[in-house]
Amino acid sequence: MSEHVYKMLELVGSSTKSTDDAVRNAIERAGKTVRNLDWFEVLETRGHIDKGKIAHWQVKVKIGFRLEG
């Protein structure tokens, strides 16, 4: 295994569908501006309730990306 150095971002993804979709939304958005995404860790899960029903899932994720060079 090669030696790598990583930097981490913390993001909150949201979705009206599911927690998995909220994670995917955060990762896909990060991938538009950050290269070398390698891993993620779910830190928190929460949601927004509207009229007694789940309106949005919110998931805080830590995303690691490999530094170049």
Side-chain angles (χ1 to χ4, degrees):
M1 181 173 164
S2 299
E3 295 178 4
H4 299 292
V5 174
Y6 295 90
K7 185 166 178 92
M8 296 178 291
L9 303 171
E10 281 191 12
L11 303 171
V12 176
S14 65
S15 170
T16 57
K17 297 177 187 175
S18 68
T19 57
D20 287 354
D21 198 47
V23 171
R24 284 185 183 89
N25 289 341
I27 292 170
E28 287 175 16
R29 180 61 184 88
K32 291 181 180 181
T33 56
V34 179
R35 294 189 304 269
N36 304 319
L37 299 179
D38 272 357
W39 56 268
F40 74 94
E41 175 184 358
V42 174
L43 302 174
E44 294 178 17
T45 303
R46 61 183 175 267
H48 170 242
I49 299 169
D50 186 27
K51 298 177 186 168
K53 296 186 179 185
I54 296 171
H56 288 89
W57 292 96
Q58 300 167 335
V59 180
K60 182 192 240 182
V61 292
K62 187 181 292 185
I63 299 173
F65 63 96
R66 195 173 357 95
L67 296 178
E68 296 177 343

